[in-house]
Amino acid sequence: MHGLPKEVRSWIYDFFSNEHSVAYLKIDAQLCIAEKGGSVDHYGLSSLCVGKPVAEQLAFMEGLLPCPELPCHMAMVELPSGRVADLHLFAGNACVWLLFLDATAERDNRQRLQQKAYEMTLLQERERQLNEKLQLTNEALRQSQEGLSREYQRAESLLLNILPASIAERLKADEQIADNHADVSVLFADIVGFTERARNVGAETTLAILNYFFKAADLLSERDGCEKIKTIGDCVMVVAGLPVARSDHAEALAHYALELRKAVKRERFAGEPIRLRIGIHSGPIVAGVIGKRRFAYDLWGETVNLAARIQTSAEPDEIRISDATRKLLGPNFACDPLAETELRGTGRVRMWRLPA
């Protein structure tokens, strides 16, 4: 293995000294196995033949080499022996070194959780955790009353992360949640140019930006007495005036919109400050919980639809509000009138701009 960089050899020797199993293959310029060594039996690689193409002997290598960028890391690869290993490819002198490193159970579990995090929205992840904790609570009930109490408290904390406290209490009492609210304000906000920017950065950066945006939305909703209902892609939906009615719902949500716009500008996405399109409308809605295992608290009605269409019509960095919302705002909010605009499925709508 003298063709490997010094720091890689040192890494492998440290791995051996900790009694882990390591195997390696040296692959020549013809993509044939030039050398093999280490714990090949451990990985079921003892039958590999030196001098023959590696792709013909390891199916997962077909099409991988020549690798466009080295070093390269392939996590959690299932080998012919049934074992799972992390594979690392390094460039050598006119060759490629392929290392097989043990993937421990702890590493296995962590990577599976990370993979799921890439495939699920934050709401789905919270729902998954809630279902998992509820299942653990049932198991603890069979074991001991003390275990039941501990797991119940954990499940309670997760429940409050996805539902308003009063709704959570009613849901636990097996009550069907279907409420009419005569006067609330609904906000939609999304990131301007999100799809185009996300195309130019990696998944890790994209998720970091979404996490920053949704965390800001969470913190501000808690501070201003609003409820973040859900996220839809890069869009967030927030309401004021429920589950507990409040007469200043329009003012509360207008203040929330201004603070949210200011908060996200502190972060940059693909080299530019984050900008939002925000729309607000006020009126009656229906609210309730749907689903059984992966339930969700959601809103329905024309007020919700119009708020979404107002948000879609807004310019970058603009907060647009409906005429109904404007009439509910106090003198502390000076609004700029906009020309009547034709909105899909609604007709011509009068709107206002909420300045900074």
Side-chain angles (χ1 to χ4, degrees):
M1 300 183 66
H2 299 293
L4 278 174
K6 179 179 179 181
E7 61 273 14
V8 177
R9 295 201 306 271
S10 175
W11 177 31
I12 294 173
Y13 296 148
D14 289 343
F15 214 79
F16 271 123
S17 67
N18 290 326
E19 299 183 354
H20 291 289
S21 296
V22 181
Y24 66 87
L25 299 178
K26 180 180 178 182
I27 303 171
D28 61 24
Q30 286 73 44
L31 306 185
C32 294
I33 298 177
E35 181 182 332
K36 65 179 181 179
S39 306
V40 291
D41 290 337
H42 180 82
Y43 294 96
L45 305 175
S46 56
S47 62
L48 298 184
C49 296
V50 174
K52 292 188 177 181
V54 64
E56 293 180 1
Q57 304 180 72
L58 293 174
F60 59 83
M61 294 295 294
E62 185 175 358
L64 179 63
L65 293 175
C67 190
E69 292 186 8
L70 295 177
C72 178
H73 173 217
M74 297 174 60
M76 304 306 300
V77 175
E78 186 171 349
L79 302 178
S81 65
R83 295 185 180 276
V84 174
D86 284 345
L87 307 187
H88 295 263
L89 291 93
F90 299 92
N93 295 327
C95 68
V96 172
W97 292 93
L98 173 57
L99 308 182
F100 299 78
L101 304 182
D102 273 333
T104 64
E106 180 180 356
R107 174 82 175 272
D108 183 23
N109 184 58
R110 182 170 65 251
Q111 289 188 345
R112 284 175 181 169
L113 291 177
Q114 291 172 346
Q115 179 63 28
K116 287 184 179 180
Y118 284 104
E119 298 170 354
M120 301 170 67
T121 65
L122 294 179
L123 180 58
Q124 289 172 325
E125 175 62 12
R126 289 174 179 175
E127 291 172 341
R128 186 199 63 78
Q129 293 175 1
L130 178 59
N131 286 326
E132 181 179 274
K133 296 303 180 183
L134 289 174
Q135 291 171 3
L136 289 175
T137 301
N138 290 332
E139 179 64 24
L141 177 61
R142 291 190 292 268
Q143 296 178 1
S144 69
Q145 185 62 38
E146 180 182 353
L148 172 64
S149 178
R150 181 173 59 252
E151 296 303 326
Y152 176 81
Q153 292 302 321
R154 293 178 183 177
E156 187 80 358
S157 175
L158 287 170
L159 184 63
L160 293 177
N161 280 338
I162 62 173
L163 295 175
S166 61
I167 299 299
E169 290 299 320
R170 293 169 60 190
L171 190 65
K172 289 188 296 181
D174 283 337
E175 181 179 344
Q176 182 178 358
I177 312 298
D179 302 323
N180 289 299
H181 295 271
D183 206 6
V184 303
S185 291
V186 180
L187 173 149
F188 283 90
D190 76 345
I191 300 175
V192 175
F194 175 82
T195 301
E196 294 77 9
R197 296 189 197 184
R199 191 179 296 121
N200 297 324
V201 299
E204 185 175 349
T205 299
T206 299
L207 281 180
I209 291 299
L210 288 174
N211 198 34
Y212 178 86
F213 175 35
F214 295 142
K215 276 187 176 180
D218 279 335
L219 291 173
L220 288 172
S221 64
E222 184 175 342
R223 191 188 72 180
D224 293 338
C226 303
E227 289 288 347
K228 192 190 84 173
I229 300 301
K230 62 181 176 181
T231 61
I232 312 163
D234 64 312
C235 183
V236 65
M237 175 184 178
V238 181
V239 63
L242 64 76
V244 179
R246 56 186 296 179
S247 59
D248 64 341
H249 55 83
E251 294 186 14
L253 207 55
H255 179 72
Y256 174 89
L258 292 168
E259 291 298 313
L260 181 62
R261 180 172 63 179
K262 182 168 63 176
V264 299
K265 283 185 177 179
R266 303 189 189 107
E267 186 65 37
R268 302 182 73 84
F269 184 21
E272 299 180 10
I274 298 177
R275 298 191 298 166
L276 302 180
R277 287 189 183 89
I278 300 178
I280 304 175
H281 179 49
S282 303
I285 59 94
V286 172
V289 174
I290 56 174
K292 183 63 176 176
R293 288 178 58 84
R294 297 195 172 191
F295 49 80
Y297 183 65
D298 209 346
L299 313 180
W300 299 272
E302 185 57 33
T303 298
V304 177
N305 297 337
L306 185 51
R309 292 186 180 116
I310 291 174
Q311 179 267 327
T312 303
S313 72
E315 296 294 330
D317 227 16
E318 184 180 53
I319 301 173
R320 285 194 179 185
I321 65 175
S322 68
D323 199 45
T325 301
R326 173 67 187 89
K327 292 175 181 177
L328 294 173
L329 293 180
N332 294 330
F333 296 90
C335 301
D336 301 328
L338 299 172
E340 286 191 351
T341 303
E342 184 77 22
L343 297 183
R344 179 177 59 85
T346 302
R348 299 188 66 81
V349 176
R350 186 182 184 190
M351 293 179 287
W352 300 73
R353 179 187 297 111
L354 189 64

